[in-house]
């Protein structure tokens, strides 16, 4: 890892077997994303990206109320466009998350607003508590989404639902979020953690190498035309024939035994 932080102060990291849980820990500020959270998130992701002991990541917010209530609005005050541009320099957490080599699941435990919603959208999967609330309220601040919301949200839920959320700034509940495809699963609040960990453990039990290739192929569908995407998939599929895990997976099936992945 090229960025390093000895002791993150705003993010808790715990590991259960091959699953790492990152918890943004500013519950008194609804886990709003300030510069320190973003810096620590980048450093932690750098570390986790190259950690062979980690198969999947869960991202969540501390406390009962919020996943992430957006960017820290306090930091916007008095900023010039140049100050803001510097604060938004690459690498950005949204882009790092959306191209992360391991599967990332957003465990949405409460308010999921603005940059929080954009970060959730940048993850691979979203599982929400039935109490979660979603929105892109930037319009109410005289702003527009700046963490990829105008681009990634329409790709996930379609331009119409994205437009409605972005133009009204209104919040929607978990059931509606599921209905429009903003989240893939909804769980009762008290089961959110166990259901998420079950999902994460299942994914983390697969070959990390194959997961990486699968993610890369699906992500490519967001930028490639269908013809190019299909060709890209074929190349990646055939590339899998070079891995030990493909030999193992096929052999294990034929021998009627569970596969033992090597990540090679
Ligand atoms: N940035 C900075 N601080 C935030 C914040 C944000 N995005 N969201 C919440 N907070 C802070 C509040 O200022 C408050 O701090 P205080 O106790 O020091 O006054 C604390 O978190 C609790 O929030 P509060 O508004 O009192 O809770 P609530 O239950 O009444 O409302 C929300 C919760 C999430 C609906 C409300 O805080 C809100 O609308 N937040 C802003 C969301 C937003 O616009 N995000 C997009 C940013 S671009």
């Amino acid at each position: 890892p090229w960025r390093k932080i000895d002791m993150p102060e705003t993010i808790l990291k715990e590991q259960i077997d091959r699953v790492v849980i990152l918890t943004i820990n500013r519950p008194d500020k609804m886990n709003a994303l300030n510069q320190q959270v973003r810096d620590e998130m980048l450093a932690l992701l750098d570390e986790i990206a190259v950690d062979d002991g980690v198969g999947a990541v869960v991202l969540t917010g501390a406390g009962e109320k919020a996943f992430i209530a957006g960017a820290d609005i306090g930091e916007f005050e008095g900023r010039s466009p140049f100050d803001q541009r510097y604060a938004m320099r690459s690498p950005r957490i949204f882009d790092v998350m959306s191209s992360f080599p391991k599967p990332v699941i957003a465990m949405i435990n409460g308010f999921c607003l603005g940059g929080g919603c954009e970060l959730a959208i940048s993850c691979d999967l979203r599982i929400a508590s039935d109490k979660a609330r979603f929105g892109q309220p930037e319009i109410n601040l005289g702003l527009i989404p700046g963490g990829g919301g105008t681009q990634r949200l329409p790709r996930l839920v379609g331009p119409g639902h994205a437009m409605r959320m972005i133009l009204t700034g209104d919040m929607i509940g978990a059931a509606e979020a599921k209905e429009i495809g903003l989240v893939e699963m909804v769980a009762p609040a008290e089961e959110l953690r166990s259901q998420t960990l079950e999902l994460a453990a299942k994914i983390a039990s697969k070959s990390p190498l194959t997961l990486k290739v699968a993610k890369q192929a699906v992500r490519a569908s967001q930028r490639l035309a269908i013809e190019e995407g299909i060709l890209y998939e074929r190349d990646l599929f055939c590339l899998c024939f070079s891995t030990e895990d493909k030999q193992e997976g096929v052999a294990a099936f034929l021998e009627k035994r569970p596969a033992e992945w090597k990540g090679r």
Side-chain angles (χ1 to χ4, degrees):
W2 59 280
R3 269 175 292 261
K4 210 156 172 14
I5 286 183
D6 289 333
M7 257 307 186
E9 291 170 350
T10 62
I11 303 177
L12 307 171
K13 178 184 166 192
E14 58 182 306
Q15 181 155 0
I16 301 172
D17 300 322
R18 291 179 51 72
V19 176
V20 157
I21 305 164
L22 296 179
T23 306
I24 300 183
N25 191 24
R26 299 182 74 207
D28 51 328
K29 292 288 172 192
M30 300 272 168
N31 303 316
L33 301 169
N34 64 7
Q35 188 64 51
Q36 188 179 1
V37 174
R38 291 193 298 268
D39 287 345
E40 292 183 350
M41 177 76 67
L42 287 172
L44 284 165
L45 289 174
D46 253 10
E47 228 173 78
I48 295 166
V50 294
D51 184 342
D52 290 339
V54 179
V57 180
V58 171
L59 174 69
T60 193
E64 310 273 277
K65 282 189 160 170
F67 171 67
I68 302 167
D72 192 317
I73 300 170
E75 288 187 344
F76 291 163
E77 219 190 349
R79 263 191 190 161
S80 74
F82 296 96
D83 298 337
Q84 185 57 29
R85 182 62 185 79
Y86 183 69
M88 293 171 86
R89 68 194 177 279
S90 295
R92 299 190 65 205
I93 49 174
F94 311 97
D95 306 326
V96 169
M97 204 62 97
S98 82
S99 59
F100 201 65
K102 300 173 195 285
V104 187
I105 302 168
M107 178 167 88
I108 302 163
N109 51 311
F111 287 113
C112 179
L113 302 175
C117 193
E118 291 168 296
L119 196 56
I121 294 167
S122 303
C123 295
D124 298 303
L125 288 167
R126 286 146 293 276
I127 171 165
S129 137
D130 54 2
K131 301 210 172 75
R133 310 269 297 154
F134 300 79
Q136 295 289 162
E138 292 87 348
I139 198 88
N140 299 322
L141 301 166
L143 286 169
I144 67 169
T150 66
Q151 304 304 306
R152 292 194 182 100
L153 184 59
R155 282 168 166 83
L156 189 63
V157 303
H161 289 301
M163 198 65 96
R164 179 168 61 101
M165 287 179 72
I166 291 169
L167 298 188
T168 66
D170 285 348
M171 288 190 220
I172 61 174
E176 191 176 353
K178 170 105 187 301
E179 197 180 294
I180 68 173
L182 181 51
V183 302
E184 288 71 41
M185 292 164 70
V186 176
E190 59 282 5
E191 284 173 30
L192 178 66
R193 189 178 156 97
S194 61
Q195 286 197 24
T196 307
L197 289 179
E198 196 181 321
L199 174 69
K202 174 182 283 183
I203 293 173
S205 74
K206 316 291 180 191
S207 157
L209 180 58
T210 318
L211 285 172
K212 184 155 65 170
V213 179
K215 265 196 67 167
Q216 204 170 326
V218 177
R219 289 282 181 187
S221 73
Q222 289 168 339
R223 60 185 159 79
L224 298 180
I226 182 81
E227 297 83 0
E228 280 116 54
I230 295 288
L231 291 176
Y232 186 52
E233 180 195 80
R234 188 173 61 189
D235 286 345
L236 289 177
F237 184 87
C238 294
L239 189 64
C240 292
F241 279 63
S242 69
T243 70
E244 286 179 32
D245 283 349
K246 174 263 173 188
Q247 321 302 342
E248 167 65 9
V250 171
F253 176 82
L254 296 174
E255 291 161 23
K256 302 187 191 303
R257 61 171 174 82
E260 279 181 42
W261 307 120
K262 299 264 161 40
R264 287 196 297 268

